[in-house]
Amino acid sequence: MIDKRERPVDAAPRLWRNARLATFAPGLPGIGAIEDGALLARSGRIVFAGPASALADEAVDGAQVVDCAGRWITPGLVDCHTHIVHGGTRAREFAMRLDGASYEEIARAGGGILSTVRDTRALDVEGLVAAALPRLDALLAEGVTTIEMKSGYGLSGASEIAMLRAARALDDRRRVRVVTSWLAAHATPPDYAGRNDAYLDEVVLPGLAQAHAEGLVDAVDGFCEGIAFSPAEIARVFDAARALGLPVKLHAEQLSNLGGAALAASYGALSADHLEHLDEAGIAAMARAGTVAVLLPGAFYTLRETRKPPVAALRAAGVPIAVATDCNPGSSPLTSLLLAMNMAATLFELPVDACLAGATREAARALGLLDEIGTLEAGKAADLAIWDVESPAELVYRIGFTPLHARIVAGREIAP
């Protein structure tokens, strides 16, 4: 049930001319670059994106013309993996880690995921919205037009649902497309320690049914790891998602190889995310299923990991690769998708064009929205980003610099 609710659009035709387009359209090499391009939108939809010379004069009658002065237009950026809705920070434990504290020592001192659970449970929906807005605004200022938001820090039915209600409220507060994921199978709360099946029976599965009934869930996620949930336990969650007609995705192979990616692929998962310990069998399963590999270099960097995702092997197998921030308070306090692209290139050796595709076309694919967004093609939503750069490669190359000129959502220009 990917969110495709009606959104305000600019009904008037608008033509962006004197532009250079990075279309990311299939059949075109690299980023699908078109010099001296033009893009025409009506009623929030792209009706033409291509060489200006191919646009018929009669097609632009009555259109408002925007001179891009040679600027680049890309699809609006897509952040396909975030935990942006939460309470509190984990800055104190960040400092403790730098001083040499172990995960166990941090947990004994009140840190770790359970500290975020306490801070999240302490906030009502409006409090969660207020806490998330600055993080969201930072991403929007970089050209993000679609963002995924997960639950997973409430770990009770009521708190998990409150997180998704906050995500829907953020959708209403800002001009951005929000896609939600039910991630109650993220960790086990203390009152269910050692009783994962009971937690699934009493919290995760009934909460999912309730959230789905309220229209709060677009996809179902889980964390398959020794410190979280086993493949068999995740399969129970995925079976419930399948019964509700919901797509699935999975945090897989981040810390060890439990075969989570292959499990996800067996359910036709939209994506498997992290993947530092992914093996050849997992890669082959993902390739067969068309499951997107979502790279999360912010977590790799913050946790000072050394084992990289097998990017070359994924590319050789034809697995689509997306890049996301994994914005969360513990392992990736990152609110810059541009920096995530730079990290994917620098740390994981993902080519520049693939980084750009990973934050547009492939990120849209990872959300099941490629028929709607992610490329500049006729029929798709006019969700665009216009950039003051000489080359789109600058979006990956620069650090701490945001060259966004304009953000367009459903054909309407929104101030950066």
Side-chain angles (χ1 to χ4, degrees):
M1 192 178 116
I2 293 296
D3 180 29
K4 296 183 180 178
R5 295 172 295 162
E6 291 299 318
R7 300 165 192 281
V9 300
D10 190 341
R14 180 172 292 181
L15 171 66
W16 288 269
R17 58 174 294 278
N18 192 14
R20 292 179 283 179
L21 308 182
T23 67
F24 296 96
L28 294 178
I31 63 173
I34 296 175
E35 299 283 347
D36 191 21
L39 189 147
L40 179 65
R42 287 197 184 95
S43 300
R45 294 269 160 190
I46 298 171
V47 296
F48 177 85
S53 60
L55 182 61
D57 291 341
E58 58 269 21
V60 302
D61 287 348
Q64 177 186 349
V65 178
V66 180
D67 187 343
C68 291
R71 293 183 177 91
W72 281 91
I73 301 178
T74 71
L77 301 187
V78 179
D79 196 350
C80 65
H81 182 129
T82 86
H83 305 254
I84 204 166
V85 176
H86 64 264
T89 78
R90 305 254 281 278
R92 178 170 171 264
E93 69 181 69
F94 172 75
M96 291 175 67
R97 273 203 308 272
L98 292 177
D99 287 336
S102 67
Y103 183 88
E104 182 180 356
E105 289 168 335
I106 290 169
R108 284 203 305 266
I113 188 173
L114 296 181
S115 68
T116 300
V117 171
R118 288 192 298 270
D119 290 338
T120 300
R121 288 181 176 180
L123 297 177
D124 60 10
V125 171
E126 186 55 38
L128 291 169
V129 169
L133 272 172
R135 298 187 281 268
L136 176 59
D137 286 343
L139 288 163
L140 302 189
E142 291 193 343
V144 169
T145 55
T146 296
I147 183 170
E148 186 253 17
M149 300 182 185
K150 304 179 190 293
S151 71
Y153 285 126
L155 305 188
S156 71
S159 294
E160 291 288 298
I161 287 171
M163 292 182 71
L164 295 189
R165 287 175 179 159
R168 290 287 193 238
L170 288 163
D171 186 298
D172 294 332
R173 298 285 180 89
R174 293 292 187 267
R175 294 278 299 165
V176 63
R177 181 190 304 263
V178 172
V179 179
T180 58
S181 297
W182 176 260
L183 181 59
H186 189 201
T188 307
D191 45 326
Y192 283 94
R195 299 188 300 130
N196 277 9
D197 280 324
Y199 175 62
L200 296 179
D201 288 335
E202 297 171 19
V203 177
V204 176
L205 301 182
L208 170 59
Q210 180 182 345
H212 176 260
E214 292 189 27
L216 297 174
V217 184
D218 297 323
V220 175
D221 200 348
F223 186 21
C224 186
E225 193 55 73
I227 61 171
F229 295 90
S230 70
E233 290 160 350
I234 291 295
R236 294 187 57 201
V237 178
F238 283 2
D239 286 341
R242 176 180 283 172
L244 294 172
L246 292 169
V248 299
K249 59 184 70 176
L250 189 64
H251 293 60
E253 273 72 89
Q254 181 184 9
L255 306 175
S256 64
N257 180 15
L258 295 186
L263 171 70
S266 75
Y267 282 83
L270 293 172
S271 72
D273 305 22
H274 286 293
L275 304 177
E276 282 84 343
H277 291 261
L278 182 65
D279 62 12
E280 291 183 4
I283 293 171
M286 292 176 66
R288 287 192 299 270
T291 296
V292 178
V294 179
L295 304 182
L296 303 173
F300 179 90
Y301 168 83
T302 300
L303 297 177
R304 294 187 287 182
E305 296 287 352
T306 57
R307 179 159 176 162
K308 302 177 183 180
V311 168
L314 286 164
R315 285 169 56 79
V319 176
I321 296 176
V323 178
T325 63
D326 192 20
C327 176
N328 77 75
S331 64
S332 186
L334 175 62
T335 51
S336 171
L337 188 52
L338 297 181
L339 180 54
M341 285 194 286
N342 176 275
M343 287 179 168
T346 303
L347 300 177
F348 296 160
E349 301 176 43
L350 188 67
V352 166
D353 287 359
C355 290
L356 292 164
T360 51
R361 183 184 63 220
E362 305 311 330
R365 194 191 306 274
L367 296 179
L369 287 174
L370 188 54
D371 62 341
E372 179 76 2
I373 58 171
T375 64
L376 303 182
E377 295 181 89
K380 293 197 174 182
D383 290 357
L384 321 171
I386 305 178
W387 307 94
D388 281 315
V389 294
E390 285 302 313
S391 163
E394 288 185 50
L395 304 181
V396 181
Y397 151 75
R398 292 189 180 275
I399 299 173
F401 177 71
T402 304
L404 184 69
H405 174 74
R407 193 173 71 95
I408 314 296
V409 179
R412 298 175 62 184
E413 182 168 337
I414 312 298

